[in-house]
Amino acid sequence: MRRLPALALPLLLAASVAAQTGTLAGRVVGTDGVPLPGATVLVEATARGAATDLDGRFEVGGLAPGAYRVTASTVGYAPATERVEVAAGERAEVQFVLVEAALDPGEVVVTARETLTGRGTLDLPGSGHYVGAKTLQIVGDYDVHRVLREVPGVTVQEEDGYGLRPNVGLRGSGAERSGTITLMEDGVLIAPAPYAAPAAYYFPTTGRMDGVEVRTGAGQIKYGPATTGGALNLVAAQIPDGFEARGEARLGANDQRTLHARVGDATASAGWLGGAGVGFVAEVRSDNVDGFKTIEGPGGAALLGPEGDELSTGFEKLDLFGRLRVATAPGAAVYQSLTLTAGLTDEVSDETYLGLTDDDFAATPFARYAGSQRDQMDADHRALRARHVAVFSDHADLTTTVYRNAFARNWYKLDKAAGAEGGAVGIAALLDDPGEYADAYAALRGAAPGRLFVKANNREYLSRGVQTVAGLRTGGALVEAGLRLHADEMDRFQWVDEYATADAQTALAVAGTPGTDSNRIESARAVAGFVQAEVPLGRVVLTPGVRVESVRLRREDFGKGDPDRTGADLAVRENTATAFIPGLGAVADLGAGWRAFGGVHRGFAPPDSRPETDPEASVNTEVGVRYGSRDVEVQVAGYWTAYENLLGSDLAAAGGGGTSDQFNGGRVDVFGAEVGVTADLVGLAAPPAARAGWAAPLRVAYTLTDGRFRNAFESDFDAWGTVAEGDALPYQARHRLYVRAGVERAGWSTAVLANAVSDMRTAAGQGAIPASERIDAHVTFDLVAEAPLPGGVALTARAINLTDATYAVARRPAGLRPGLPRTLAIGLRARIGR
């Protein structure tokens, strides 16, 4: 018998369930009986929903038989909820009568329009995924790499085991420092300098987020500036509807200590504020760990600090976050609110760019060379946002946000090493061929006297701007128009200190002068705008849109000989780019819970300040199908990204020289397939009355990626080098498979998380992967559990890498780097209020 393709299995599963579904239909009206078009109807505990038409009518198909809570809401009215019984093959009717609201519906509606959380993903015109707060707690909220395993189409490259410096790519885009995607927090650009220096050496702490959204395809061009791969939006703590307090304490291996607390409250009408509504949320999170690596001296003995303790390879990180919202009093003709958001992150991590040679990794994968003992990242981030929302009517609203992000960091890390005699050699070249540089390698290990050159990668970033988005609903269509004025810059003011090393101990020999290694300012000024519409045409909704990006980039290089920046040797270069970025998406309701979607859009990413660098340009197409019911959701998509010009960035994080210069890569084709399945196995096997509170949640995410150069060229970009036509892109695993399977009942839960990644090459090439350019395939398993305790407290336990597999995750920046070994943690979690 002929075998079915693997991708067909989820479709057959969904189809078998769809055969026994029912339909929910009805009407939403006001107390005067007037229909309410554009109202949102959501079926709770599912991703199903609909918007009412001009006559206030709606229809939701593909619902498994059973009882549902269904909620209808719209601007200016209090939500209403009804309990509805749906039978197989039948049509259940319900009418909602909404009363004019005394609450703050504006925030709800605008949030629903801006994010996936308010509308689910089934009706998006392109691929979209949302990871909510509950899933974040299950999969490991401290590391965004682990969170994004839940989402097909995402490429992640681990580096330090803790997710401090995430490397995230979407649909074949490069993952280096997440510099090829649009990275946002609450819809605001959050990378340190998204245009001038998009490499995200700062990444928001995932553990304080309420959700993580990923959008790809034509529907995400309104975010920008990078529109090729897609957009990643982190949803920070939301102001609750009423009083809420929560806290968590966690202890784990390597002296891990996590403390996290949040409190918030809101009222629709505060007498002391003249009847206006007010709400707030405040949050603090502290993460500390000593690290899982050991800095070793000669003979493998751990190096000790001044107080006799082993040198740390971990980190300390503190996050403070708060929001305050003031809104108009109930009954105001125009709903308005002003939300002020502030955040602070302070991090000190004993991290390095120095990995291990192949032989040393095989012998002691969790060791660090003595030469890295001075390496440390010292970073702080300050964020300020003010958002004004005005809801003029059921048909028009305006959201304006002013933002400012400041990031300062000094990653003090080993750059070069030398023996007692001879010249210095960069750490990447040294670990590639330690035999060629035996004296420097011995000094690096602390086995012989030598010199170590530690670079202070001292940089300050500033990003600020204002963006406004207007929404206009007319008939059944929604039109959005946005404008953003943005400026960012990176100020590099670096130096190198020389240390003498003997017996694995280091002493400062020559102190560098700040500004004598790199002394320049990269800046960008950008204007961006978009118009996008959702146009219903029967069972099909079209989403045409266009984005315009215009950016001016400038570098002022003062030179290594002018640390005072007198301008005596000032060199200036400039580049400009303007792009017209159209897109068209469509989603069709096929009935019985099925949706088909597809789209095409233009891909863009800004170049650097060199005039010879072209913008990244591509044409991106996708087609897919979704199914959603009470107990199962499926999304299958295929895509083709045809790069006309792929950009590569010379980042130290990628093993390059750290100049941040970008290189034209020419034509590249990336093909891929994505499968996402979420199901409750108990729900699929038993009717609601027979489940007795049991659930067996299952999540499967599979990604197939095949990216290849379509032209031959010579590149100064180390990750490419000499490229032949047909060479595969580096750091793109062909297969990624993730499975999360669990059992839940009455607050008790346990789940196994399995993650499999095929081998991948670290340099462009084709055919068999040379051992020196290969990251081997690996499979890891995590185990998580939660048990309820009296008083609303829960006991949590986690085992990461349960089988204690030893595996490599990267060969860059310099040498092999290991994944996290088996790590155990236990904790307590409590919540009061809503």
Side-chain angles (χ1 to χ4, degrees):
M1 184 176 75
R2 186 176 180 182
R3 290 186 175 183
L4 289 171
L7 296 185
L9 295 179
L11 297 178
L12 292 177
L13 173 65
S16 66
V17 177
Q20 301 296 325
T21 61
T23 299
L24 171 67
R27 197 163 182 245
V28 180
V29 299
T31 54
D32 55 2
V34 175
L36 298 177
T40 299
V41 179
L42 294 176
V43 182
E44 295 185 11
T46 76
R48 307 293 292 121
T52 57
D53 61 18
L54 288 175
D55 195 36
R57 299 188 181 278
F58 67 90
E59 182 175 311
V60 180
L63 294 174
Y68 294 92
R69 282 173 55 86
V70 185
T71 299
S73 61
T74 191
V75 176
Y77 293 82
T81 301
E82 298 286 348
R83 187 178 181 275
V84 183
E85 290 281 349
V86 176
E90 296 185 8
R91 180 184 179 93
E93 295 278 350
V94 62
Q95 176 164 298
F96 292 93
V97 179
L98 302 190
V99 180
E100 290 194 43
L103 300 175
D104 56 352
E107 291 293 331
V108 176
V109 171
V110 173
T111 299
R113 177 168 57 77
E114 289 184 342
T115 71
L116 303 180
T117 55
R119 57 180 297 178
T121 60
L122 291 179
D123 295 314
L124 291 177
S127 297
H129 299 269
Y130 176 72
V131 182
K134 180 180 178 181
T135 303
L136 288 176
Q137 292 177 353
I138 294 173
V139 303
D141 59 11
Y142 63 92
D143 185 351
V144 74
H145 289 142
R146 296 181 179 276
V147 171
L148 290 175
R149 292 172 179 175
E150 294 262 330
V151 181
V154 177
T155 298
V156 298
Q157 181 210 317
E158 297 180 51
E159 182 175 324
D160 52 62
Y162 297 114
L164 292 176
R165 245 67 66 197
N167 298 287
V168 180
L170 296 172
R171 290 193 164 178
S173 66
E176 299 90 350
R177 288 293 179 267
S178 309
T180 62
I181 64 175
T182 294
L183 177 62
M184 301 178 291
E185 180 177 319
D186 292 335
V188 171
L189 297 176
I190 203 66
Y195 286 84
Y201 284 85
Y202 166 78
F203 199 99
T205 302
T206 315
R208 65 174 178 81
M209 297 299 158
D210 278 356
V212 176
E213 302 174 346
V214 178
R215 287 209 192 187
T216 51
Q220 56 86 25
I221 65 168
K222 64 181 183 180
Y223 301 113
T227 63
T228 301
L232 173 60
N233 184 40
L234 297 110
V235 182
Q238 301 297 294
I239 296 173
D241 294 333
F243 178 76
E244 178 184 281
R246 64 177 77 172
E248 181 177 12
R250 187 186 308 156
L251 299 176
N254 303 306
D255 202 18
Q256 176 193 354
R257 296 144 307 182
T258 295
L259 295 174
H260 186 195
R262 181 191 294 181
V263 62
D265 197 0
T267 179
S269 180
W272 57 271
L273 201 59
V278 63
F280 80 97
V281 63
E283 184 173 29
V284 59
R285 182 181 176 100
S286 173
D287 288 285
N288 301 269
V289 66
D290 287 348
F292 63 92
K293 299 178 185 176
T294 301
I295 300 178
E296 296 183 351
L303 292 184
L304 304 180
E307 299 180 0
D309 297 329
E310 291 187 11
L311 296 176
S312 171
T313 59
F315 66 93
E316 299 177 356
K317 192 173 184 180
L318 175 67
D319 278 274
L320 302 176
F321 180 85
R323 294 189 202 272
L324 174 65
R325 183 184 68 220
V326 179
T328 49
V334 175
Y335 172 87
Q336 295 186 72
S337 70
L338 177 65
T339 304
L340 305 178
T341 299
L344 177 152
T345 301
D346 187 20
E347 176 198 331
V348 177
S349 53
D350 298 308
E351 270 301 335
T352 182
Y353 269 14
L354 186 64
L356 298 169
T357 67
D358 285 49
D359 290 342
D360 290 335
F361 185 88
T364 55
F366 305 116
R368 267 178 48 178
Y369 296 126
S372 69
Q373 61 187 274
R374 299 274 179 174
D375 290 13
Q376 186 178 87
M377 164 73 92
D378 189 348
D380 63 81
H381 185 269
R382 305 288 187 272
L384 294 172
R385 297 193 287 275
R387 186 177 78 165
H388 178 262
V389 173
V391 181
F392 304 104
S393 69
D394 294 354
H395 305 288
D397 60 65
L398 182 69
T399 304
T400 303
T401 306
V402 180
Y403 58 92
R404 184 183 190 274
N405 297 304
F407 179 55
R409 58 95 160 178
N410 184 5
W411 199 338
Y412 192 65
K413 61 181 184 288
L414 185 67
D415 184 51
K416 297 178 180 179
E421 304 291 338
V425 58
I427 56 175
L430 173 55
L431 294 194
D432 282 345
D433 193 355
E436 175 71 18
Y437 308 104
D439 290 346
Y441 175 60
L444 182 71
R445 295 175 55 244
R451 292 167 293 150
L452 303 175
F453 299 85
V454 184
K455 180 184 292 187
N457 288 263
N458 181 57
R459 305 176 191 178
E460 294 185 358
Y461 301 79
L462 181 62
S463 172
R464 65 274 193 203
V466 57
Q467 61 187 40
T468 187
V469 179
L472 177 63
R473 189 176 292 278
T474 173
L478 171 66
V479 180
E480 296 175 86
L483 177 67
R484 181 172 65 214
L485 305 179
H486 176 92
D488 60 49
E489 66 180 44
M490 174 184 66
D491 187 338
R492 297 171 61 129
F493 200 64
Q494 303 180 175
W495 66 93
V496 177
D497 292 333
E498 180 181 342
Y499 288 84
T501 179
D503 298 325
Q505 301 300 316
T506 62
L508 183 63
V510 180
T513 300
T516 55
D517 174 75
S518 185
N519 182 13
R520 66 175 189 257
I521 298 174
E522 303 270 2
S523 61
R525 302 291 184 270
V527 178
F530 76 89
V531 177
Q532 184 170 282
E534 295 180 8
V535 183
L537 300 173
R539 288 182 171 267
V540 177
V541 177
L542 295 181
T543 307
V546 63
R547 181 177 190 84
V548 176
E549 287 276 355
S550 181
V551 56
R552 174 176 173 267
L553 302 118
R554 176 183 175 90
R555 171 185 287 187
E556 300 169 89
D557 193 340
F558 294 90
K560 298 180 180 180
D562 185 17
D564 294 329
R565 293 186 170 176
T566 65
D569 297 317
L570 180 64
V572 177
R573 70 187 196 195
E574 291 187 352
N575 194 9
T576 60
T578 299
F580 180 78
I581 308 164
L584 176 63
V587 58
D589 186 348
L590 305 180
W594 288 91
R595 299 282 196 278
F597 63 91
V600 58
H601 75 279
R602 189 77 173 169
F604 167 81
D608 64 11
S609 57
R610 296 188 303 164
E612 63 268 29
T613 307
D614 298 324
E616 185 168 89
S618 63
V619 176
N620 310 271
T621 56
E622 72 168 352
V623 63
V625 64
R626 300 188 187 101
Y627 171 78
S629 70
R630 176 171 179 167
D631 297 311
V632 64
E633 297 175 22
V634 179
Q635 177 171 291
V636 179
Y639 70 88
W640 172 27
T641 301
Y643 286 94
E644 298 165 16
N645 183 49
L646 173 70
L647 287 179
S649 297
D650 179 36
L651 302 176
T659 66
S660 299
D661 286 343
Q662 294 186 331
F663 295 88
N664 299 318
R667 294 188 299 116
V668 174
D669 282 343
V670 181
F671 297 91
E674 304 163 358
V675 180
V677 179
T678 301
D680 177 4
L681 300 184
V682 172
L684 291 175
R691 298 175 190 177
W694 287 94
L698 172 71
R699 173 63 179 171
V700 179
Y702 170 73
T703 301
L704 168 68
T705 307
D706 186 0
R708 298 187 179 275
F709 289 96
R710 293 307 178 197
N711 53 271
F713 62 94
E714 295 277 348
S715 176
D716 294 330
F717 181 38
D718 290 343
W720 295 342
T722 301
V723 174
E725 184 177 353
D727 278 358
L729 292 174
Y731 280 97
Q732 294 287 353
R734 183 174 179 84
H735 303 283
R736 293 178 181 268
L737 175 64
Y738 170 82
V739 179
R740 170 170 54 86
V743 178
E744 300 175 355
R745 187 176 188 271
W748 295 81
S749 67
T750 185
V752 175
L753 290 64
N755 186 60
V757 181
S758 64
D759 56 10
M760 57 184 170
R761 60 179 69 246
T762 61
Q766 50 190 297
I769 307 175
S772 62
E773 297 178 358
R774 184 175 66 240
I775 300 297
D776 291 332
H778 62 270
V779 180
T780 59
F781 298 89
D782 298 348
L783 178 65
V784 297
E786 182 170 330
L789 299 176
V793 178
L795 175 67
T796 65
R798 181 185 308 277
I800 297 174
N801 191 0
L802 185 63
T803 62
D804 203 21
T806 300
Y807 60 100
V809 295
R811 287 183 177 272
R812 59 185 180 186
L816 283 168
R817 313 176 72 86
L820 195 67
R822 180 164 54 217
T823 303
L824 308 179
I826 59 172
L828 292 174
R829 182 185 301 129
R831 183 168 182 166
I832 303 173
R834 303 193 179 195

